[in-house]
Amino acid sequence: MSIMELLDNAEAATGLSDWGGLEFIEGLTVLRDSVVKESQTGKAGLEAFDDMATSILVKRLKVIDDRTRHPEISREEILSPLIVVGLPRTGTTILHALLAQASNARSPLDWEIDEPSPPPRQASYNSDPRIARRKAVVDVIGPAMRTYHIMDAQLPDECDVLLQYAFQTFRLNANFYTPRYMEWLLQTDTSPGYDFHRQMLQHLGAFTDDKQWVLKSPTHIFWLDRLLATYPDARIVFTHRDPADVVPSTASFYCFVRRNAGSVAEPRRVGREQLDLWSAGIRRAMQYRSENPHREKQFFDVHYREMNSDPVAVVREIYRHFGMPFYDVTEQAMQRFMAENQQGKHGTHKYSLEQFGLDKASLDEEFGEYLQAYNIPNSANA
């Protein structure tokens, strides 16, 4: 299917034609070309990709239409968002979910990201029929996925999914091996993606109570400059863990997702891919922080072991660092959440360095500056 056919199909499905700009077409074109030529997926896989791309395009058209019909959306302010970043598999998901338990916190929930239009309304925020529709899907795909990643229609999701409307997110690489797309993504100007990211927060928050945005995505470490240009008053929580745990855990997750999508997932290739990707990401993040020392008060660093030991104490320190009041009721909500979502509740995620062609010495060398700079405790895979 050509790019024009994808666009035509989305317009036909919605009866809409205002794309709010056409900057997203380059990313879509590079991505689809990479899927066709590099992913080694069959006809069914390519059809699945086209369905996914069409779904994203349909959502973009609807969101732009909502923005046109409701000009107040564009006046919505996004102030001082609290954003969790860091290497994947470093506790970002559980920390994000924990921070979202505060009564004044607002995170993009799985159901509203899946079906964002029309904008959610406060009166029906907990009873919107889209919740039930998403729960039905999660009940099917969730059991196996939850071993790797906690998932529920009413739990916070990663905000990198909001970058998909510009086709500028790693999430689109998860199902398919797309090195050409990833090379393009790491070199391109991601301003369109982050501009739409902000538009989506405005969209989701325009008709719900004003609250503090709490966001999360590991991929932000590649674009801290763009993230902080978009949200100059952001407060960044940066999580850390030994890459000897991070890389094989991430590779295991990618293999799982790609196999479920009917794509090729050769473990050693995936291991190398994840090693190269996240070592590049951490170098970019460290470079940004070293070149922008005036921003350091906007960062708070958290070690994975601290999170495992006493996550609520970590949250208390985050609040203290950023001058946010930490109330007893907030702590109680977080304690309840932790009691209901114990690690391993849905099974244990097992992996090893060897199955992905990796070894501790090589990872220590590749991430040496990072390990030293942040005094990373030694891995369980040592």
Side-chain angles (χ1 to χ4, degrees):
M1 190 178 296
S2 69
I3 299 302
M4 188 56 66
E5 286 175 313
L6 290 173
L7 300 180
D8 288 344
N9 287 348
E11 291 183 358
T14 59
L16 303 171
S17 59
D18 182 1
W19 293 98
L22 298 175
E23 75 289 334
F24 68 92
I25 291 179
E26 181 182 4
L28 173 57
T29 301
V30 175
L31 176 60
R32 192 178 191 282
D33 186 62
S34 187
V35 170
V36 170
K37 296 178 180 177
E38 299 175 312
S39 69
Q40 297 177 280
T41 189
K43 180 181 178 181
L46 185 56
E47 289 175 351
F49 171 83
D50 286 342
D51 288 345
M52 178 189 74
T54 300
S55 174
I56 293 171
L57 293 170
V58 164
K59 292 174 188 177
R60 179 181 174 113
L61 282 169
K62 290 181 177 180
V63 165
I64 294 296
D65 184 60
D66 289 332
R67 196 175 181 87
T68 300
R69 291 186 295 106
H70 301 285
E72 60 268 43
I73 293 176
S74 65
R75 297 192 291 270
E76 180 76 5
E77 291 188 302
I78 311 299
L79 301 175
S80 304
L82 185 62
I83 308 175
V84 180
V85 307
L87 290 170
R89 321 304 291 178
T90 57
T92 57
T93 299
I94 193 67
L95 179 56
H96 180 212
L98 201 58
L99 290 167
Q101 300 310 303
S103 60
N104 67 334
R106 172 77 161 91
S107 293
L109 302 187
D110 181 85
W111 71 266
E112 57 185 339
I113 286 179
D114 179 69
E115 200 175 341
S117 181
R121 302 278 176 162
Q122 189 61 43
S124 58
Y125 193 67
N126 294 311
S127 59
D128 193 296
R130 286 172 287 186
I131 298 172
R133 288 198 292 270
R134 184 57 180 166
K135 280 186 178 294
V137 174
V138 171
D139 285 345
V140 174
I141 66 175
M145 178 68 78
R146 288 191 181 107
T147 301
Y148 298 85
H149 182 81
I150 60 172
M151 185 179 186
D152 186 84
Q154 291 180 280
L155 279 180
D157 199 357
E158 293 188 3
C159 64
D160 71 320
V161 71
L162 305 180
L163 301 170
Q164 71 180 350
Y165 299 102
F167 290 89
Q168 292 186 337
T169 171
F170 289 2
R171 184 169 291 218
L172 300 174
N173 172 64
N175 288 356
F176 305 96
Y177 178 64
T178 55
R180 181 168 173 264
Y181 169 74
M182 293 299 290
E183 181 181 2
W184 170 84
L185 181 57
L186 293 175
Q187 294 174 354
T188 199
D189 175 12
T190 54
S191 298
Y194 279 94
D195 287 346
F196 215 95
H197 186 284
R198 186 180 185 87
Q199 290 182 39
M200 286 301 300
L201 293 186
Q202 291 178 319
H203 176 94
L204 296 176
F207 304 110
T208 57
D209 290 346
D210 288 336
K211 293 186 176 183
Q212 175 69 58
W213 279 105
V214 178
L215 309 171
K216 169 254 180 173
S217 176
T219 64
H220 290 317
I221 67 172
F222 287 86
W223 298 291
L224 289 175
D225 56 344
R226 181 48 47 201
L227 180 68
L228 285 162
T230 306
Y231 308 108
D233 57 354
R235 294 170 287 192
I236 310 296
V237 180
F238 204 128
T239 58
H240 302 281
R241 187 182 185 186
D242 191 331
D245 276 328
V246 168
V247 176
S249 179
T250 307
S252 176
F253 177 68
Y254 266 65
C255 283
F256 167 79
V257 171
R258 287 181 182 169
R259 285 169 183 153
N260 273 15
S263 188
V264 174
E266 196 285 308
R268 287 178 173 267
R269 187 174 72 178
V270 174
R272 186 74 237 181
E273 174 192 3
Q274 296 306 305
L275 170 58
D276 291 344
L277 178 63
W278 294 106
S279 61
I282 209 66
R283 284 194 296 271
R284 286 168 70 151
M286 290 178 66
Q287 180 178 352
Y288 177 84
R289 293 183 68 172
S290 68
E291 292 177 354
N292 295 273
H294 64 288
R295 291 280 195 184
E296 278 301 291
K297 288 185 179 180
Q298 291 180 253
F299 285 82
F300 183 80
D301 295 290
V302 173
H303 283 194
Y304 181 78
R305 286 189 181 178
E306 295 171 347
M307 272 294 299
N308 271 358
S309 175
D310 193 342
V312 175
V314 168
V315 172
R316 192 180 298 113
E317 284 301 301
I318 292 170
Y319 272 62
R320 183 196 59 77
H321 177 81
F322 291 119
M324 301 160 58
F326 190 68
Y327 301 112
D328 289 345
V329 66
T330 301
E331 179 168 355
Q332 291 164 8
M334 293 179 179
Q335 294 285 10
R336 284 195 300 272
F337 179 82
M338 290 304 303
E340 294 168 3
N341 293 273
Q342 291 293 322
Q343 189 174 33
K345 175 181 177 180
H346 299 287
T348 303
H349 178 199
K350 297 180 180 180
Y351 54 85
S352 69
L353 287 164
E354 292 74 20
Q355 72 187 99
F356 300 104
L358 304 169
D359 65 86
K360 183 73 166 72
S362 297
L363 283 164
D364 283 351
E365 181 177 358
E366 185 72 22
F367 288 91
E369 292 184 18
Y370 168 66
L371 292 166
Q372 183 174 4
Y374 294 100
N375 193 28
I376 309 297
N378 207 32
S379 163
N381 282 311

